[in-house]
Amino acid sequence: MKKKVLVEDPKGKFLKIYMDFDETINEIVITGDFFAHPEQAIDELQENLTGAKAESGEIKRILEDFFEEKGVRMYGISFEGLYKGIMECLEGEDDG
Amino acid sequence: MTVRLLLTGYSTAARNMAIDESVLHHVASGDSPPTFRLYGWKPPAVSIGYFQSLAEEVDLDVCDELGVEVVRRITGGGAVFHDDEVTYSAVIPENWGSVPDSIPESYEYICGGILKGLEGLGIDARFQGLNDIAAGGKKISGNAQTRRKGMILQHGTILISIDLERMFTLLKVPSEKTRKKLIDSAKERVTGINDILTNHVSFEDVISALAGGFERSLGVEFERSELSENELSMADKVAGEKYGTEDWNHMR
């Protein structure tokens, strides 16, 4: 199933998340006008989410692990925004 | 302290971003000194933030029709229409002089030069939020930063004037109805130097004002210089092999 959602991150920026999933996440692309230092951290997060079970517990665990990692500085993107966006993808209708 | 100043005039979108990257590389390796660069975009261009999707943000057909280039930056942030403006880039080591380690504070530190530059033109402006500068409550400058190889690369634009109707035909909007609303609301929130000043200034006037502003604000003296041979050859390479490619620009 393919989904694309737009969520307003509580940190003030818009996140657009594209996801292709069935029982597991096949592909996820996180886009938006936020900042992350180092930038590659977001690519790593996408990799961590790819292949993960498409269910809230697993998603939450991966996001928590990511946000607990020291040294990644983010502006305009947060745990809450990402979690909300990914869950909206999982719960919504197929976009085709 | 003496700092290198590059005035590279107008370049294409791919070349502008390639020069910033090449300078970053050469300052990091110690081959070039800390550098400020002031420049413009010809033809006009839309740059998008590192994490944005080009196809989602920009109407590529309209850009094509109007001869507007597109490029993905290595810095985060939003889409910017580069037309009647001056762009700067600062490439300095993270531990340079009294630059703060904190990203929000370092934005404000470097943007202090823009405030001084605008002041020199008779415009009272303020730093706001994470990375913006506003005059009379309206945004006049947007800035974006990345930290790589122990360096800060910060680039940003200072608007001389802005054609919002044109800008919102280049950027994708949800519908025609929202386009009008976005333009109206942007008119309340965005301004340019020549919207404020009765005696209009040129690209060159703004460049001298900004150069002076950075010198006064950072307590440095600029020494005019050119890109080195190595910087030029890397810029040529990166313009062609990265910033000018679909792979890079359509990465997201």
Side-chain angles (χ1 to χ4, degrees):
Chain A
M1 178 143 90
K2 289 182 173 142
K3 275 296 292 178
K4 193 162 71 180
V5 299
L6 175 69
V7 288
E8 192 173 358
D9 193 282
K11 299 283 178 190
K13 302 274 188 177
F14 282 96
L15 301 180
K16 281 182 192 165
I17 299 174
Y18 163 84
M19 243 170 70
D20 180 359
F21 64 98
D22 34 63
E23 281 89 60
T24 56
I25 297 175
N26 303 317
E27 193 191 2
I28 177 163
V29 184
I30 299 163
T31 75
D33 58 354
F34 53 86
F35 292 90
H37 308 270
E39 286 80 3
Q40 291 75 6
I42 299 296
D43 298 322
E44 279 163 31
L45 175 61
Q46 290 179 176
E47 281 165 31
N48 297 347
L49 287 163
T50 306
K53 262 191 241 157
E55 53 96 11
S56 67
E58 176 91 345
I59 306 288
K60 203 167 192 171
R61 188 186 58 74
I62 294 170
L63 289 178
E64 276 168 358
D65 285 354
F66 178 73
F67 277 89
E68 272 164 23
E69 263 178 56
K70 288 196 172 63
V72 183
R73 294 184 274 186
M74 281 174 272
Y75 304 93
I77 181 171
S78 67
F79 172 85
E80 291 76 16
L82 280 167
Y83 182 67
K84 190 175 156 206
I86 295 172
M87 291 314 294
E88 276 184 26
C89 284
L90 292 183
E91 286 156 7
E93 297 291 308
D94 193 354
D95 285 345
Chain B
M1 190 160 24
T2 306
V3 173
R4 180 171 69 151
L5 175 68
L6 299 173
L7 302 181
T8 52
Y10 295 99
S11 307
T12 62
R15 190 165 172 79
N16 271 333
M17 293 299 92
I19 294 174
D20 278 358
E21 181 167 336
S22 177
V23 170
L24 172 67
H25 176 87
H26 286 89
V27 178
S29 68
D31 293 324
S32 297
T35 298
F36 278 68
R37 174 180 165 230
L38 293 159
Y39 59 100
W41 304 65
K42 251 179 205 168
V46 175
S47 76
I48 59 162
Y50 180 75
F51 298 109
Q52 292 189 300
S53 159
L54 183 60
E56 289 279 330
E57 300 298 329
V58 181
D59 192 325
L60 295 167
D61 292 335
V62 175
C63 285
D64 212 29
E65 265 168 49
L66 299 179
V68 173
E69 295 186 327
V70 293
V71 71
R72 177 184 302 279
R73 303 188 304 270
I74 53 169
T75 51
V80 181
F81 174 41
H82 304 276
D83 189 8
D84 188 18
E85 63 168 40
V86 172
T87 307
Y88 75 92
S89 61
V91 179
I92 53 179
E94 282 184 292
N95 59 4
W96 186 73
S98 48
V99 61
D101 179 52
S102 131
I103 288 173
E105 285 172 28
S106 64
Y107 268 119
E108 189 163 7
Y109 176 81
I110 296 169
C111 285
I114 303 171
L115 296 182
K116 284 272 178 229
L118 289 170
E119 187 184 280
L121 292 169
I123 293 174
D124 178 30
R126 258 153 240 208
F127 183 77
Q128 68 175 29
L130 177 68
N131 53 347
D132 287 341
I133 291 171
K138 295 182 179 186
K139 179 169 166 175
I140 195 164
S141 162
N143 304 274
Q145 187 184 114
T146 183
R147 297 193 173 209
R148 296 173 191 219
K149 306 173 185 175
M151 296 287 123
I152 297 174
L153 161 65
Q154 181 170 316
H155 47 204
T157 68
I158 297 89
L159 289 169
I160 299 176
S161 72
I162 175 87
D163 183 344
L164 291 165
E165 273 84 6
R166 190 144 173 251
M167 183 175 113
F168 281 102
T169 61
L170 302 167
L171 301 181
K172 279 199 177 159
V173 294
S175 69
E176 279 311 310
K177 218 170 162 184
T178 47
R179 192 187 307 276
K180 173 92 175 59
K181 274 191 194 157
L182 284 167
I183 295 169
D184 288 344
S185 112
K187 281 181 181 163
E188 300 301 314
R189 291 181 295 106
V190 184
T191 191
I193 293 171
N194 281 345
D195 295 322
I196 299 170
L197 298 179
T198 27
N199 291 323
H200 285 186
V201 293
S202 66
F203 180 74
E204 289 74 21
D205 296 333
V206 177
I207 283 183
S208 341
L210 287 171
F214 282 122
E215 284 187 313
R216 289 197 297 282
S217 165
L218 304 176
V220 298
E221 205 169 305
F222 282 144
E223 189 176 324
R224 269 291 298 280
S225 184
E226 307 293 329
L227 288 159
S228 69
E229 289 286 317
N230 289 340
E231 283 174 327
L232 273 172
S233 71
M234 181 180 168
D236 284 341
K237 190 173 149 69
V238 178
E241 293 176 8
K242 179 174 177 178
Y243 294 103
T245 66
E246 297 256 310
D247 274 358
W248 170 258
N249 290 323
H250 285 272
M251 180 175 75
R252 272 184 163 79

